[in-house]
Amino acid sequence: VSTSTIAAAIAVILAIGLVVTVGVASLLSGAFHFLFARPSLVFLLPKNRETGFAFGLKWNSAREPAKFDKVKLRLFNPFGNPTQVEVSREFPAQGSSFGTEVEMGEAMTKFWQSQGFDRALVQIEISSLRDGLTQQFEMRGAKFKEKFHAASITVDQFQSKNKIEKTKPLYNTVERSFIADPLPQTNKVLKLATNPVFADSFAAPAAGAAKAQGDADNNFAVSKVWIDPGCIVCDACEAIYPQVFEVQSDTCVIRPDAPLTNGLLIQDAAEACPVEVIKFTKAS
Ligand code: SF4
């Protein structure tokens, strides 16, 4: 047998050994987690023993990341009355081991007063609505009652014992100040007529006024204005200069008292006429 064959055989054996080792380690890790690192539920002493339910939940949040925000108590009571009771409430989401007390409301009274409670099955579900993860615990009613009444530490004591920070309130009071903070410095400037940066923007109206003055200087009077046949009664001329043009049912006419001093406006109306039937002569 050659040396290379022996080396290859050793390599294969080592590779198989490595795979087997990793597999066994993985199995042992899973078994360890199943046996010793499962989520645990602790019954805590509620402030309201009638309708409150206080509990602590510990789990490996690194392995099972979730934010738990709902607790549901179910009573399966096939030999009692009522045969089933369910009460659930939401609470502020918790992303790692926590303790909390939840006010379950009047339904909790019905839960406790069920006939045959001790023999019934109680299911406690703590779930994350957002992450779709549920931790479930089951026990007989008698056991549930025993744990509930045996609870001796409060939520606060549980939190401090397990070095858990207190739950932050759902809403924080906003700090308000009625004195405005100074505006941040920017290169932006207000667009005002008095601001020299925008002098050109506000020069346009002034230019328009100058143009109007120029137009006034160039205006002229007309000696005669009339309408040739062919008016299509579109109203354009009357819209421009109603003191001169009057559109009737079948044609446009010139008003008897029409002012003839604003030749520019009459010219505008003539240019707007789609069939060019408005005629005029300038006064000499
Ligand atoms: S603009 Fe011309 S077509 Fe229109 S109503 Fe006046 S004259 Fe008639």
Side-chain angles (χ1 to χ4, degrees), residues 152-163:
S152 58
I153 63 167
T154 64
V155 171
D156 287 347
Q157 288 168 335
F158 175 83
Q159 303 252 95
S160 92
K161 188 177 166 189
N162 291 282
K163 298 186 171 51

Side-chain angles (χ1 to χ4, degrees), residues 4-277:
S4 59
T5 308
I6 294 170
I10 291 172
V12 169
I13 290 168
L14 286 175
I16 292 171
L18 182 65
V19 169
V20 169
T21 305
V22 169
V24 169
S26 173
L27 282 173
L28 286 175
S29 165
F32 179 83
H33 178 76
F34 181 78
L35 290 173
F36 304 110
R38 296 180 69 191
S40 65
L41 179 75
V42 182
F43 281 64
L44 301 176
L45 185 63
K47 289 176 186 158
N48 180 356
R49 295 183 73 85
E50 303 297 320
T51 56
F53 179 55
F55 64 95
L57 180 69
K58 292 188 198 175
W59 85 101
N60 186 341
S61 54
R63 193 180 181 110
E64 290 181 302
K67 287 197 167 185
F68 291 101
D69 53 9
K70 186 175 182 183
V71 58
K72 184 189 286 182
L73 297 178
R74 276 180 172 154
L75 185 77
F76 295 99
N77 191 19
F79 306 110
N81 182 34
T83 53
Q84 190 165 334
V85 179
E86 184 175 303
V87 49
S88 63
R89 288 289 185 277
E90 292 180 25
F91 55 85
Q94 308 283 346
S96 57
S97 295
F98 65 94
T100 189
E101 177 171 347
V102 184
E103 175 55 45
M104 305 300 275
E106 285 306 308
M108 195 66 182
T109 310
K110 190 178 172 188
F111 173 85
W112 279 123
Q113 292 177 349
S114 301
Q115 290 176 8
F117 183 90
D118 286 358
R119 288 197 302 156
L121 178 71
V122 177
Q123 219 174 52
I124 306 159
E125 277 186 10
I126 300 166
S127 51
S128 164
L129 295 173
R130 193 190 70 172
D131 303 306
L133 183 67
T134 297
Q135 302 291 2
Q136 196 174 72
F137 307 88
E138 283 184 0
M139 62 195 76
R140 286 288 157 202
K143 191 71 180 173
F144 181 91
K145 194 186 284 181
E146 179 192 323
K147 282 174 170 273
F148 184 88
H149 291 297
S152 58
I153 63 167
T154 64
V155 171
D156 287 347
Q157 288 168 335
F158 175 83
Q159 303 252 95
S160 92
K161 188 177 166 189
N162 291 282
K163 298 186 171 51
I164 299 169
E165 286 183 14
K166 279 195 174 182
T167 307
K168 290 180 182 168
L170 271 180
Y171 304 102
N172 294 313
T173 306
V174 179
E175 281 185 20
R176 295 198 293 178
S177 166
F178 294 96
I179 301 172
D181 294 330
L183 289 172
Q185 292 292 323
T186 69
N187 293 326
K188 294 179 180 173
V189 289
L190 290 174
K191 190 173 182 178
L192 296 172
T194 50
N195 190 335
V197 175
F198 296 101
D200 291 341
S201 307
F202 291 92
K211 181 177 180 297
Q213 183 59 45
D215 286 348
D217 293 343
N218 294 328
N219 209 345
F220 57 91
V222 299
S223 58
K224 186 180 176 187
V225 56
W226 71 97
I227 308 293
D228 273 354
C231 168
I232 59 172
V233 292
C234 71
D235 292 342
C237 56
E238 188 175 323
I240 292 171
Y241 204 173
Q243 290 82 1
V244 172
F245 301 96
E246 181 186 356
V247 179
Q248 297 182 343
S249 60
D250 56 350
T251 188
C252 174
V253 297
I254 306 299
R255 293 181 188 275
D257 55 348
L260 302 178
T261 51
N262 193 341
L264 282 178
L265 213 47
I266 292 173
Q267 184 175 300
D268 284 349
E271 289 172 356
C273 177
V275 288
E276 298 179 356
V277 295

